[in-house]
Amino acid sequence: MTIEKHIYDISSTMQPLAAEVSLSHSDNDVNTGGCVLLLNVDDKVRNLLSNKDLEYLYFDEVATRQQMFTNIVQMQNKVDVMVMGVQLKEPVGIAQRVHAINNDVPILILTEPERYEQLKQALIFTPFLSNNVTPWSTDALDQFADVLQETIQRKHKRRSYKKTIAAAQKRLGDVYHERPQVKHYLDRLLDHVPLGILNVDILGSVMGLNRFASQILNRTEREAIGTLLTDIFPESERDALHDLIAQCVAPARTRIPEVFDISETVGKIRHVEVMASSLVDSSGQLGATVILQDVTGRVCAEQERSRAEDALRVSEGLYRELVQTMSEALALTDEQHRITYVNDSFCNMFGYSSEDVLNKPLLGFVHEDDKEAMRECMSNPVQGGGVQRYETAWVTKKGDKIYTLTSPKRLFDPEIGYVGCLGVFTNITERKKVEEREKRHMMELAHVSRVTTLGEMSSQIAHELAQPLAAIAALSTGCLKMLKSETSDRDEIIESLTNISEQSSRAREVVLRLRNFVRNDEIQYTQIELNQLVRTVVHLVEMEARWHSLPVKLELQGQFPIAFGDRILIEQVVLNLVHNAIEAMQAVERQKRKLIIRTSNLDKRTLQVEVIDSGPGIDEENIKKIFQPFFTTKADGMGMGLAITRSIIDAHHGQLTASRNEQGGTTFCFTLPVDKREEASGR
Amino acid sequence: MGVKQTVYIVDDEEPVRNALCFLAKSDGLNFESFDSAQAFLDSLENIGPGCLLLDVCMPDMTGLELQVALHERKAEIPVIILTGHADVATAVRAMKGGATDFIEKPFDSEDLLERVHQCLSGEAKRRDSLDWRKQASERLARLTRRELEVMEGLVAGKRNKQIGEELFISFRTVELHRASIMEKLEANSLSDVVRIALVAESED
C-alpha cells in the first residue's frame, strides 16, 4: 500500500457536511496513516520511529534545508507533520519559512531538555507562526510517537473542516465577510454583555472572546486566542467540557448548561456555568459559541447552605439522639393536644409503642382522678415565662397508675399563636407511693388520736347526749299522761311534741358530729370555712368547758377567706388544742380560767387560728419538746396529741407554734393556706 | 296529808328544765323551776314543803355546791340529784351531802316520777312525825312531877301496886294519877301513853 493511496482513501472518507464533523477523538482515528517529513533527525529518533506501531506512516527524510523546502512546495498539503532534529540550527527560523509556504503543516521541534524552555519562549514571541509548532524535549522521547500520531490526526481533521467550510462558503456566499461593520458592532456589543462569550474553532481552540469571558477565565485576549479552551479548564473538568461542546453540534440535542469549577487554573475560586451552541456560517461548521456565566457567588452560597444544612442535620441528629435517650419522658402535642412525638423514655414509662400513642389525645392517658384538672390546665394556656409543674396521675398500657411531675412548655408561633405543647415527665410514682404511705400512716395515727381524745371526753359526750334524751323521755311520758287524763290540753301536747322533735334532732346532730369525727376516711381536701369549723369544735367541747367552769371566748374575724384542707383533720387540730387548753387550766383557780379562740388573716394567703389559755403555761425547757412524739406532762398522756397535730398542719403546708403568754398561759397558733381559687378570685 | 307539796326543779338547760316541768304537770304535781342554783338559793324563804330535783352539772354553782349551801342554812328539803354522767365520785359526794336519791340522765320518766312520789311521801311522813312528836312533848309538859314518875313506871311496864311501893304511895293514889295522865295525854289506852312517851323521848 502506497502512502499516496492511503492518504487519498482517508480524504475520500471525509464528508463535507458539518453535521458529521466531530471534535471528539474516535477510535478509528488512532491508526490514521500520514506522511512525516524528517529533517536532521539523529539515529535515536530514527530508531524510535521505526517502531512497529508506526509502520503505517510514511517517512520522508531530507538531508538539507533546500531539499526540504522543495519537498514542502512539491508535496503541498500531503505533508502531515514535520519533525526537526535536535541538531538543526535555527529551528524557529526554518519553521517560520515553512509556514510562510504552507502554514497548515504542523511542526514538531525536538530539543535538548535544557533548551526546551528557551525554545518555547522563542516560539511564543515569534510572529507568523500558527499554534501548531510544538517543541518537544528529548527526555520525553518515549511519548514522542504518540505526539506524532496525535498531531497527524489533528492535521487530518483540520483539513477536512477546511474542506467542509470551503464547501459551505461556496454554497452560501460570503455574507459574513461582506458586512464587516456589523461584525465590529456586534463585537463591541458583546464586550458589554455581562456574559462571557467566546467562539472556538472546530478543534476547540479559542478564536475570539469578549471582555467578560477574558475576565472570567483570567486570561488576556492574547493569551486566550489560539489555545484550546479545554486547556484553560482543570484536568478533571476537561472531558465533561469536551462532551458539552461536542454535544452542541448535534442540532437535536437540548442544551443543558453545566457548571465547572475552574478555580485550579484561574488562580482564584471561580465557578462558571457553560452553555455551548454551534457556530455555523455559510461555509459550514466553524466551531462553537460558548457562553460562560460566572456563578461563583451562587455556587459558594449553595455550598455554604449545604454545609450549614449538614451542620444543622448533625446538630438536629444530636438533639434527637439526646431527646430520644434522655431519662425523662418527653412528648410533643399539637394545638388540639394530640400527641405528635414521644421519646423512648415515654414509651418505656407508659408501656406503649410510639405508634400506639401518635395522633391520640394526650388526655386519654390521664388517670380519671386528674382528667378534670388536666382539661382545665389545657384550656387555659398561660403565656409567658416560668415553668409550672404539675403532679399528674396517668394510666399505663397495663392499667397501672403512675404519677409524674409534669412540666409543660407551651409553644407559640409569633404568627399562628398557640401551636402545641412540649411536656417533660419525671416519674415520681415511687416517691408518691412513699408519700401516700406516710399520709396513710398519719391518717391512721390521727384517727387513733381522735378516738383517744373522744375517749377522754366520753363522759362529756355522754352528758351531751343524755340531755336531749332526758328531755325527750320526760316530754313523751308527759304527753302520754296528759292524753290519758281528762285534763289534756291540746296546745300543750303539741308544744311538747315539737320539743321532742327538736331534742331528737339535737341528739342526732351530736351523733353525726361524733361519727364524722371518728370516721377514718381518706384525706379529702375541701374548702373550709374556718370560723364555722371553730364553732363546731366548740360545740363538742362545750360540755367539757362548762364542766370545768371555764368560759370560751370566740374572737372570730368577720369576712374570713375560705381555707383549704381536710375538714376532719383540721377539726381534730382545733379540738386537740382546745382540749389541751381546758386540761391545762384545771390547774388554776376557777376565776382565772379563760379560753380564747381567735381567727385572723396573717396575710393574703395565710389564715391563722390561735388558741389562748390562761393555764400555768409551759416552761422554756419543755416548750421546745412539746411537739416531739411521746413527750407528755400528763400523768396518763400518750404524748402523741401534739405530734399528730403538728404533722397534720405540716401536711396542710401550715405551721404550728407554741408560745408563752405575757400574762401567763400558753398560745398555740396554727396557719393554713387560703384556698387558691379563693385567692384567685381576689376576695 | 294536809299540805300540798311542790317539786322544785333546778336545771340550767332550758329544754330539760321545761321537759321536767311538763312531766310534773302531767302527773298533777305542783312544780316550780329555777335556771340556776343561785336562783333557788335566793328564793329559799318562799320554799314550802316538797322536794328538790337538782341537776349537778351547772356553771357557777354546781348542784353539789348548792347541797352544801342548803346544809349551811339548815334548810331541810329532800334532794334528788340528776346527773348526765354518773361517775362514782359524784355519786358518793351527792349521797354524803345528804341526797335522798340519785338519778342518771337519760332517765326513765315513770321511774323518775315514782322516785319523786316516794320522796314526797317520805317527806310528808317526816313532816307528820315531826308534828306528832311536838304534840307529845306538849302533852307531856302538862303532867306534874309525880304524874311523870308514875308514867315512867307505866312505860316501863310496871304494875300499879309495884309503882305505889316504889313511890311510897298507895295503890289507890297510883290509879288516880294514872287516870289524870290518861286525861292529860289525851290517851285512850295505856299503849297510847307509851307511844307518846317514846315519841317525846326520841326527840333527843
Side-chain angles (χ1 to χ4, degrees):
Chain A
M1 181 163 54
T2 66
I3 298 292
E4 268 88 351
K5 180 80 183 351
H6 191 66
I7 292 168
Y8 178 74
D9 285 348
I10 290 166
S11 306
S12 63
T13 58
M14 295 284 183
Q15 295 301 312
L17 289 173
E20 290 180 16
V21 175
S22 169
L23 282 172
S24 66
H25 302 280
S26 52
D27 287 342
N28 61 356
D29 288 339
V30 171
N31 294 328
T32 311
C35 174
V36 182
L37 199 59
L38 303 175
L39 181 63
N40 274 26
V41 293
D42 51 20
D43 288 347
K44 211 170 169 189
V45 177
R46 223 170 272 128
N47 287 341
L48 189 78
L49 296 178
S50 61
N51 188 333
K52 206 173 162 194
D53 290 347
L54 300 174
E55 63 186 5
Y56 50 86
L57 290 178
Y58 171 76
F59 295 103
D60 182 8
E61 184 159 4
V62 287
T64 65
R65 293 179 192 183
Q66 196 52 53
Q67 193 181 352
M68 179 202 69
F69 288 127
T70 314
N71 280 12
I72 295 272
V73 173
Q74 283 173 358
M75 291 174 82
Q76 284 286 354
N77 284 337
K78 302 239 168 16
V79 176
D80 289 312
V81 63
M82 184 178 166
V83 178
M84 297 184 183
V86 178
Q87 306 302 323
L88 191 67
K89 301 261 165 52
E90 296 174 47
V92 178
I94 296 168
Q96 241 177 330
R97 286 176 63 189
V98 170
H99 275 185
I101 300 164
N102 183 351
N103 67 357
D104 274 348
V105 179
I107 300 170
L108 287 169
I109 304 171
L110 287 167
T111 173
E112 286 152 351
E114 54 271 20
R115 286 181 58 214
Y116 175 75
E117 278 303 318
Q118 197 190 337
L119 177 63
K120 199 176 170 189
Q121 290 291 318
L123 286 172
I124 288 169
F125 294 107
T126 305
F128 314 117
L129 272 181
S130 76
N131 61 347
N132 49 11
V133 178
T134 311
W136 198 261
S137 170
T138 49
D139 62 352
L141 267 183
D142 47 341
Q143 291 161 34
F144 186 67
D146 294 340
V147 173
L148 196 64
Q149 265 179 298
E150 273 174 34
T151 311
I152 292 166
Q153 281 160 15
R154 202 155 59 226
K155 161 82 164 118
H156 285 176
K157 273 180 194 155
R158 198 176 321 164
R159 191 164 54 200
S160 73
Y161 300 153
K162 282 198 170 168
K163 273 187 190 164
T164 313
I165 291 161
Q169 272 177 343
K170 211 177 234 174
R171 280 205 300 272
L172 296 171
D174 203 352
V175 182
Y176 188 74
H177 290 279
E178 276 171 11
R179 302 169 71 178
Q181 315 95 306
V182 175
K183 182 183 183 296
H184 176 68
Y185 194 68
L186 203 61
D187 282 349
R188 290 208 37 202
L189 189 69
L190 286 178
D191 273 349
H192 290 93
V193 170
L195 287 171
I197 297 168
L198 50 81
N199 291 333
V200 291
D201 66 13
I202 207 90
L203 291 170
S205 297
V206 176
M207 298 197 298
L209 73 169
N210 72 348
R211 194 185 303 160
F212 211 79
S214 90
Q215 271 175 23
I216 289 174
L217 299 175
N218 203 21
R219 298 281 193 281
T220 62
E221 195 169 353
R222 193 175 159 172
E223 280 169 345
I225 288 178
T227 53
L228 283 172
L229 180 60
T230 45
D231 287 349
I232 298 173
F233 281 64
E235 191 77 47
S236 54
E237 307 276 38
R238 280 178 197 166
D239 284 349
L241 179 72
H242 207 280
D243 288 350
L244 183 85
I245 296 171
Q247 274 169 19
C248 83
V249 180
R253 281 279 181 57
T254 48
R255 284 154 197 149
I256 303 158
E258 258 187 74
V259 177
F260 295 90
D261 181 358
I262 55 167
S263 318
E264 204 182 301
T265 48
V266 299
K268 55 181 171 183
I269 293 170
R270 178 145 289 172
H271 299 268
V272 287
E273 193 175 71
V274 179
M275 194 164 79
S277 59
S278 62
L279 182 67
V280 183
D281 72 1
S282 55
S283 62
Q285 183 72 36
L286 288 180
T289 297
V290 178
I291 298 167
L292 305 172
Q293 195 169 0
D294 186 351
V295 291
T296 310
R298 195 182 86 197
V299 170
C300 287
E302 261 170 24
Q303 282 174 347
E304 189 62 34
R305 199 186 66 200
S306 137
R307 254 199 305 279
E309 271 174 4
D310 284 350
L312 190 68
R313 205 169 301 124
V314 168
S315 127
E316 222 176 53
L318 207 65
Y319 272 112
R320 190 167 286 268
E321 185 76 7
L322 200 70
V323 160
Q324 204 51 254
T325 55
M326 67 195 251
S327 66
E328 264 86 21
L330 183 141
L332 272 173
T333 57
D334 62 12
E335 77 287 354
Q336 302 282 317
H337 307 294
R338 282 180 307 235
I339 297 169
T340 53
Y341 172 80
V342 291
N343 69 352
D344 288 350
S345 292
F346 186 95
C347 297
N348 291 341
M349 199 182 287
F350 285 80
Y352 289 102
S353 71
S354 62
E355 290 78 37
D356 287 344
V357 298
L358 287 182
N359 291 320
K360 303 260 171 64
L362 186 64
L363 199 62
F365 302 96
V366 178
H367 191 270
E368 212 49 59
D369 293 356
D370 280 355
K371 271 211 167 112
E372 198 51 47
M374 182 60 105
R375 200 173 285 133
E376 200 170 304
C377 163
M378 282 172 170
S379 63
N380 294 315
V382 185
Q383 277 202 53
V387 178
Q388 273 181 298
R389 300 179 131 216
Y390 304 91
E391 278 187 13
T392 320
W394 308 83
V395 182
T396 64
K397 192 175 189 178
K398 279 188 191 164
D400 295 338
K401 185 178 184 181
I402 60 166
Y403 290 92
T404 68
L405 199 60
T406 312
S407 324
K409 175 92 183 76
R410 294 183 172 81
L411 308 173
F412 286 94
D413 184 288
E415 280 167 24
I416 309 168
Y418 183 59
V419 292
C421 198
L422 167 73
V424 178
F425 310 93
T426 312
N427 195 339
I428 55 164
T429 311
E430 279 308 310
R431 198 182 83 197
K432 201 77 185 166
K433 273 184 188 161
V434 171
E435 271 177 16
E436 272 184 11
R437 212 175 301 134
E438 277 172 1
K439 198 181 271 177
R440 203 157 52 233
H441 196 66
M442 190 199 78
M443 293 296 285
E444 275 161 16
L445 262 179
H447 181 241
V448 168
S449 159
R450 281 202 297 277
V451 173
T452 310
T453 309
L454 287 186
E456 285 168 14
M457 290 168 61
S458 62
S459 55
Q460 282 83 31
I461 292 160
H463 191 253
E464 183 90 336
L465 271 175
Q467 292 295 87
L469 287 177
I472 289 167
L475 290 167
S476 56
T477 308
C479 284
L480 280 174
K481 280 186 183 296
M482 284 260 186
L483 288 169
K484 279 178 194 164
S485 75
E486 285 156 17
T487 60
S488 66
D489 180 339
R490 193 183 136 83
D491 289 347
E492 239 175 346
I493 291 170
I494 288 175
E495 194 194 323
S496 296
L497 287 172
T498 313
N499 288 342
I500 288 176
S501 146
E502 273 171 15
Q503 290 306 303
S504 66
S505 15
R506 178 179 158 193
R508 192 175 145 265
E509 268 168 35
V510 173
V511 171
L512 285 183
R513 220 157 39 216
L514 287 175
R515 202 164 51 198
N516 278 338
F517 192 66
V518 294
R519 184 178 288 162
N520 192 8
D521 268 346
E522 289 279 295
I523 194 159
Q524 282 176 348
Y525 287 101
T526 53
Q527 299 192 321
I528 301 175
E529 222 278 76
L530 261 185
N531 285 345
Q532 197 192 319
L533 182 141
V534 167
R535 283 193 200 99
T536 309
V537 174
V538 169
H539 272 302
L540 271 174
V541 294
E542 216 165 30
M543 272 300 142
E544 189 182 23
R546 198 157 57 198
W547 180 247
H548 295 296
S549 302
L550 56 91
V552 179
K553 192 178 173 202
L554 297 183
E555 294 179 3
L556 306 180
Q557 181 185 307
Q559 287 280 314
F560 208 44
I562 304 289
F564 191 66
D566 182 280
R567 182 181 306 278
I568 293 171
L569 289 178
I570 300 303
E571 272 180 15
Q572 175 173 9
V573 167
V574 178
L575 181 76
N576 274 354
L577 297 181
V578 172
H579 184 69
N580 278 350
I582 291 173
E583 280 194 335
M585 280 189 283
Q586 285 172 34
V588 299
E589 287 169 54
R590 192 172 290 183
Q591 289 74 22
K592 287 183 183 169
R593 296 177 186 172
K594 190 177 171 192
L595 175 63
I596 301 171
I597 305 175
R598 186 184 293 153
T599 59
S600 57
N601 258 95
L602 198 62
D603 55 53
K604 261 188 170 174
R605 291 185 197 164
T606 319
L607 302 177
Q608 180 176 265
V609 177
E610 288 164 286
V611 176
I612 305 156
D613 70 45
S614 60
I618 306 167
D619 57 49
E620 287 297 334
E621 188 75 4
N622 285 342
I623 209 157
K624 290 172 198 156
K625 299 186 201 158
I626 52 171
F627 295 117
Q628 291 170 7
F630 306 113
F631 175 82
T632 183
T633 53
K634 296 182 212 165
D636 54 351
M638 260 219 308
M640 289 309 289
L642 280 174
I644 291 165
T645 305
R646 172 166 263 187
S647 60
I648 291 173
I649 292 298
D650 284 348
H652 283 78
H653 308 292
Q655 280 192 319
L656 174 66
T657 54
S659 56
R660 288 158 61 87
N661 299 337
E662 277 177 27
Q663 313 91 320
T666 315
T667 297
F668 281 90
C669 167
F670 70 86
T671 59
L672 277 184
V674 170
D675 182 41
K676 280 187 185 129
R677 279 165 284 184
E678 183 83 358
E679 198 185 317
S681 77
R683 231 177 68 183
Chain B
M1 270 176 248
V3 196
K4 178 96 177 172
Q5 297 189 94
T6 305
V7 181
Y8 298 95
I9 298 166
V10 180
D11 197 318
D12 62 318
E13 280 212 46
E14 199 191 347
V16 182
R17 191 169 67 237
N18 290 345
L20 287 171
C21 290
F22 181 71
L23 182 67
K25 187 183 178 187
S26 71
D27 203 43
L29 290 165
N30 264 3
F31 64 90
E32 212 172 307
S33 69
F34 302 88
D35 61 4
S36 72
Q38 193 59 48
F40 180 77
L41 215 51
D42 290 345
S43 43
L44 196 58
E45 287 169 16
N46 309 321
I47 299 300
C51 75
L52 179 60
L53 259 182
L54 178 61
D55 185 37
V56 172
C57 181
M58 286 187 291
D60 300 333
M61 184 187 274
T62 67
L64 298 181
E65 284 164 339
L66 177 62
Q67 260 188 306
V68 175
L70 290 175
H71 258 288
E72 282 168 0
R73 298 183 193 202
K74 295 200 189 312
E76 287 189 14
I77 182 161
V79 177
I80 300 177
I81 292 288
L82 279 175
T83 176
H85 52 118
D87 55 295
V88 178
T90 312
V92 168
R93 274 182 70 195
M95 295 315 276
K96 271 190 178 168
T100 312
D101 215 335
F102 185 89
I103 298 176
E104 280 178 52
K105 288 181 198 169
F107 43 74
D108 179 278
S109 313
E110 292 292 354
D111 182 47
L112 176 80
L113 282 176
E114 198 186 310
R115 294 207 200 180
V116 168
H117 281 294
Q118 265 177 16
C119 182
L120 286 177
S121 65
E123 170 68 359
K125 274 184 196 150
R126 190 186 67 86
R127 282 189 179 270
D128 281 353
S129 71
L130 205 64
D131 288 351
W132 173 233
R133 202 158 60 204
K134 235 166 148 181
Q135 275 179 26
S137 302
E138 278 167 16
R139 289 178 197 175
L140 278 179
R142 294 176 198 159
L143 301 181
T144 64
R145 201 173 62 85
R146 181 57 76 178
E147 283 166 350
L148 276 173
E149 283 171 357
V150 172
M151 192 193 73
E152 277 174 13
L154 290 173
V155 169
K158 292 170 180 166
R159 292 170 178 279
N160 289 352
K161 192 178 170 191
Q162 197 182 350
I163 294 166
E165 281 171 6
E166 281 179 8
L167 293 176
F168 306 107
I169 53 175
S170 71
F171 167 75
R172 185 86 190 142
T173 313
V174 174
E175 282 201 332
L176 282 172
H177 278 306
R178 186 169 159 168
S180 168
I181 288 166
M182 295 284 270
E183 191 186 338
K184 281 182 177 171
L185 293 182
E186 299 169 33
N188 299 322
S189 65
L190 184 62
S191 61
D192 280 355
V193 174
V194 172
R195 197 182 311 127
I196 290 166
L198 285 176
V199 165
E201 271 176 16
S202 74
E203 198 175 2
D204 301 324

